Amino acid sequence: MHYRLIAPKTAYCLLILSFVAFSKSSSAQDGKALFQSNCASCHNPVRVVIGPALKGVTDRVPDNKLLHSWIKNNQTVLKSGNKYFTDLYNQYSKVPMNTFPGLTDPDIDAILKYVNSYTVATPGNNGTPTATESDSTLLYGILTIILAVIMLTLLQVNSNLKKLSDDKEGIPSAEPIPFYRNKAYITLLILVLFVIGGYFLVEGAIGLGRNKGYQPVQPIFYSHKVHAGTNQISCLYCHGGAWESKQASVPSLNICMNCHAAINEYKGDKIYREDGSEVNGTEEIQKLYSYTGYDPKSGKYTQAGRPIEWIKIHNLPDYVFFSHAQHIRAGKVQCQTCHGPIQQMSEVRQFADLSMSWCVNCHRTTKVDFPDSAGNTGNKFYNIYEKFHKELKPGDSITVEKIGGTECQKCHY
Ligand code: HEC
Ligand code: HEC
Ligand code: HEC
Ligand code: HEC
Ligand code: HEC
Ligand code: HEC
C-alpha cells in the first residue's frame, strides 16, 4: 500500500520543518538576549530611556566600524574628538555609557540586527519588547497546522480514489480506514500532544518562584524617582551594604530621618501611582513620622518607633549564592544593569527574571576588569591571571566564565 509509506515520510518532513522554524527563531534570539542583558537598562529600540532609541542607528552612523568601536568603548571615541558622538554626549547631559570590551563584532551585529528589526506588537504591552521573530514562530506554527490538515485531506482522498479504482478493476480491498481511526495518526497525535504538554509543564515548573515584573504596594509610597532621580541621592547612601557585603539591604529609619527631620513637606513635581492616582507626598512623609514616632512640631521623638515593613521584591532561592560586593566593587557592574532604570521608577519593579540563564549569560559575555598596565584600577584579586592575560593575543579578553563564573559550586552552596 503506497500511501502508508507517505504518512511517516510526511510526518518527518513536518518535524524537520518545525525544527527549522524553531532553530531560526533561536538564532535571532541571541541579539535580543545580548541586548537585554547589556543594553536594555539604558536603551529601548524605539523609546528614549537613558540613552537614545537605537532603532535605525545604523542609518544615523553609517560608518559600521566607528559604530562598533563606540559600542565597545565609547570613551576612546569621545577622546578622539568625533563630532557626532561628542554632540550626542553633550545632548544626553554627559551621561556616560558603559564600555563593553567583551562584546565581539558578531555580537554587536546581532544586537544591531535585533534593534533594527524591532517592532512594537501591540500598543498596550507596556513597552515590553516583542520582536518580529516571535511573530514568525507563530506564522510557522500556523503554516505547519494548515499543511498538516491539507496532508490529511489529500491522504483521505487518495485512499478513497484507490478504493474506487480497485473496486472498478474488481480487486478486492478493505474499506479505507478514516484517519481518526488510523493507528499511525493516533500515535502521532498522542506523541505531539505529549511533547507540547511536556514542554509547557517543564516551562511552568522552572518558572515557579520567578517574579519578573513583581511590584508590590509598599507601606509608604517611597519614590526612587524623587530621591535617586530628581534629587540625585546616590544609591549607596541608602544601600551602602552593596559595596561591603552580600546584601544591598534596605535602609533603616534613621537614614531617612537624616533628611526628613528637616524635610517635612513634599513640594516637588506631582507623583502618581501605577494606576494613575495622585500621591500626596506630604502625607506619605507624615506616615514616616508615625513609624519613627517623630513629632515635626517639637522636633523631638515623642513615641517609640517601629520599623517599616517593606515588602522584599528581589528574592533568589536559598540555594543560590549571590554577592553584591563582588559585582559592584570587583566587577564594576552598574546597579541599573541588573535592576533597570530604578532612578526613574516611582515604585520599584523587578526588572530581571533572576534565572540561572540570566546570571550565566552575563558571565559568558562580561569581561573581567583587570588592573591596567599602571596597576591602578581593576580587580587586583585576580593578579595571578595577569600573566596569562599578557600571554593572550591582544584583543582577546577574559570573561567571567574563564575565571570560573559558570562553575556550579560558585553559585550553589
Ligand atoms: C549606563 C547606560 C547605558 C548602557 C548600559 C548602554 N548605553 Fe548606549 N548610550 C547611553 C547614553 C547615555 C548614550 C548617549 C551618548 C552619551 O551620553 O554617552 C548612548 C548612546 C549609544 C549609541 C549612539 C546612539 C545614536 O543615536 O547615535 C549607541 C549605538 C549605543 N548607545 C549602543 C549601546 C549598546 C549596543 C549597548 C549594549 C551593548 C549600550 N549602548 C548600553 C547609555 C547606555
Ligand atoms: C533615600 C534612600 C534610597 C536611595 C537613594 C535609593 N534607594 Fe533603593 N530602596 C530604598 C527603600 C526604602 C527601599 C524599599 C522600598 C521599595 O522597595 O520601594 C528600596 C528598594 C530598592 C530595591 C528593591 C529591593 C527589594 O526589595 O528587592 C532596589 C533594587 C533598589 N532599591 C535599588 C536602588 C538603586 C539602584 C538606587 C540608585 C539609583 C537606589 N535604590 C537608591 C531606599 C533608597
Ligand atoms: C539625602 C536626603 C534624603 C533621605 C536620606 C531620604 N529622603 Fe525622602 N525626600 C528627600 C527629598 C529632597 C524629597 C523631596 C522633597 C520635595 O521635593 O519637596 C523627599 C521626599 C520624600 C517623600 C515624598 C515623595 C515620595 O517619594 O513619595 C517621601 C514619602 C519620602 N521622602 C520618604 C523617605 C523615606 C521612607 C526615606 C528613607 C528610606 C527617605 N525619604 C530618605 C530627601 C531624602
Ligand atoms: C549583578 C547583578 C546585580 C547588580 C549589579 C546589583 N544587584 Fe541588587 N540584587 C541582585 C540580585 C540577584 C538580588 C536578589 C538577592 C537575593 O535575593 O539574595 C538583589 C537584591 C537587591 C536588593 C534587595 C535587598 C537585598 O540585599 O537582597 C537591593 C536593595 C538591591 N539589590 C540594590 C542594589 C543596588 C543599590 C545596586 C548598585 C549599587 C545593586 N543592587 C546592584 C542583583 C544585582
Ligand atoms: C550584568 C552581568 C552579571 C550578572 C547578571 C550576574 N553576574 Fe555574577 N559576575 C559578574 C562579573 C563582572 C563578575 C566578576 C567580578 C570579579 O571581577 O570578580 C561576576 C562574578 C560572580 C561570582 C564570583 C565568580 C568567581 O569566579 O569568583 C559569583 C559567585 C557570581 N558572579 C554569581 C552570580 C549570580 C548567582 C548571578 C545571578 C543571580 C549573577 N552572578 C549575575 C557579572 C554578572
Ligand atoms: C552564575 C551563577 C550560577 C551558576 C554558575 C550555576 N547556577 Fe544553577 N542556578 C542559579 C540561579 C540564580 C538559580 C535559580 C533559578 C530560578 O530561581 O529560576 C539556579 C537554579 C538551579 C537549579 C534549579 C532548577 C531551576 O532552574 O530552577 C538547578 C538544578 C541548578 N541551578 C543546577 C546547576 C548546575 C548543575 C550548575 C553547573 C553546571 C549550575 N546550576 C551553575 C545560578 C547559577
Side-chain angles (χ1 to χ4, degrees):
M1 300 284 252
H2 209 63
Y3 71 93
R4 292 246 162 131
L5 283 173
I6 300 177
K9 272 189 192 156
T10 329
Y12 283 133
C13 289
L14 281 178
L15 259 182
I16 290 170
L17 219 139
S18 49
F19 272 128
V20 170
F22 279 105
S23 58
K24 197 171 148 17
S25 75
S26 75
S27 77
Q29 198 83 23
D30 289 344
K32 184 177 175 186
L34 283 167
F35 177 82
Q36 292 194 324
S37 59
N38 295 300
C39 325
S41 47
C42 302
H43 290 287
N44 177 291
V46 292
R47 264 189 297 125
V48 175
V49 185
I50 294 169
L54 287 187
K55 188 172 180 172
V57 67
T58 41
D59 299 330
R60 294 197 290 275
V61 189
D63 183 349
N64 195 37
K65 230 179 123 210
L66 176 69
L67 188 57
H68 277 228
S69 28
W70 167 265
I71 293 171
K72 280 186 195 152
N73 192 338
N74 61 82
Q75 297 302 318
T76 41
V77 175
L78 285 175
K79 268 185 210 130
S80 78
N82 178 287
K83 182 167 168 2
Y84 172 81
F85 282 112
T86 317
D87 288 350
L88 188 75
Y89 181 62
N90 292 333
Q91 189 191 332
Y92 279 82
S93 2
K94 308 204 172 183
V95 175
M97 171 165 139
N98 296 1
T99 58
F100 298 95
L103 289 181
T104 61
D105 287 320
D107 287 346
I108 294 178
D109 282 329
I111 295 175
L112 292 174
K113 189 164 162 251
Y114 165 71
V115 293
N116 278 335
S117 66
Y118 181 95
T119 46
V120 185
T122 49
N125 70 353
N126 281 331
T128 331
T130 326
T132 35
E133 70 260 25
S134 58
D135 299 342
S136 67
T137 314
L138 190 71
L139 194 75
Y140 280 116
I142 294 173
L143 269 179
T144 314
I145 292 173
I146 294 177
L147 284 178
V149 170
I150 295 178
M151 180 192 85
L152 284 178
T153 329
L154 285 181
L155 282 177
Q156 199 66 31
V157 171
N158 185 28
S159 63
N160 283 341
L161 284 178
K162 193 166 166 54
K163 166 89 174 127
L164 277 182
S165 78
D166 281 356
D167 283 355
K168 205 166 162 201
E169 283 167 31
I171 308 168
S173 70
E175 277 290 314
I177 315 169
F179 69 86
Y180 50 84
R181 273 198 281 141
N182 186 323
K183 289 210 178 83
Y185 294 148
I186 295 174
T187 323
L188 199 70
L189 188 74
I190 291 177
L191 259 175
V192 168
L193 286 181
F194 191 73
V195 169
I196 296 177
Y199 173 79
F200 282 111
L201 187 73
V202 171
E203 278 287 287
I206 291 178
L208 283 178
R210 289 214 190 129
N211 292 309
K212 187 173 176 177
Y214 180 46
Q215 188 179 42
V217 174
Q218 299 285 5
I220 293 185
F221 190 93
Y222 162 83
S223 160
H224 276 78
K225 195 173 173 191
V226 170
H227 290 85
T230 317
N231 288 296
Q232 298 280 310
I233 306 171
S234 150
C235 309
L236 291 175
Y237 183 86
C238 292
H239 300 293
W243 186 252
E244 243 97 61
S245 68
K246 226 174 135 265
Q247 304 290 345
S249 64
V250 165
S252 58
L253 285 173
N254 58 337
I255 294 188
C256 309
M257 292 311 286
N258 286 348
C259 298
H260 283 288
I263 304 172
N264 54 18
E265 269 180 312
Y266 179 71
K267 299 194 213 93
D269 293 343
K270 285 189 177 162
I271 34 180
Y272 298 95
R273 287 193 183 81
E274 202 70 350
D275 61 13
S277 60
E278 201 185 324
V279 179
N280 182 337
T282 308
E283 243 168 50
E284 298 298 320
I285 298 177
Q286 288 303 324
K287 280 193 205 162
L288 173 64
Y289 293 153
S290 79
Y291 277 100
T292 50
Y294 180 79
D295 177 12
K297 290 204 186 72
S298 63
K300 289 204 182 70
Y301 291 89
T302 48
Q303 284 160 344
R306 61 198 158 101
I308 304 178
E309 281 154 358
W310 300 112
I311 300 168
K312 193 168 188 319
I313 300 164
H314 295 79
N315 257 320
L316 281 174
D318 289 344
Y319 53 81
V320 181
F321 171 85
F322 175 84
S323 160
H324 272 93
Q326 175 105 48
H327 288 88
I328 290 151
R329 202 161 169 179
K332 298 219 166 61
V333 184
Q334 304 278 332
C335 311
Q336 283 82 352
T337 312
C338 298
H339 292 299
I342 291 270
Q343 71 284 2
Q344 295 173 359
M345 295 181 194
S346 288
E347 292 168 274
V348 180
R349 165 172 54 77
Q350 183 171 327
F351 174 78
D353 64 359
L354 306 190
S355 66
M356 178 158 145
S357 59
W358 175 69
C359 312
V360 170
N361 279 342
C362 181
H363 287 183
R364 289 207 175 116
T365 50
T366 309
K367 205 188 138 205
V368 179
D369 184 33
F370 286 106
D372 61 11
S373 47
N376 289 329
T377 62
N379 183 352
K380 298 203 175 77
F381 186 78
Y382 293 111
N383 264 353
I384 40 160
Y385 288 96
E386 225 189 328
K387 188 165 136 303
F388 307 122
H389 195 195
K390 289 207 175 107
E391 283 166 7
L392 289 169
K393 288 181 255 85
D396 264 6
S397 55
I398 298 184
T399 57
V400 180
E401 180 174 22
K402 300 235 173 75
I403 62 165
T406 54
E407 282 164 21
C408 315
Q409 75 278 13
K410 288 272 171 78
C411 302
H412 294 296
Y413 294 106

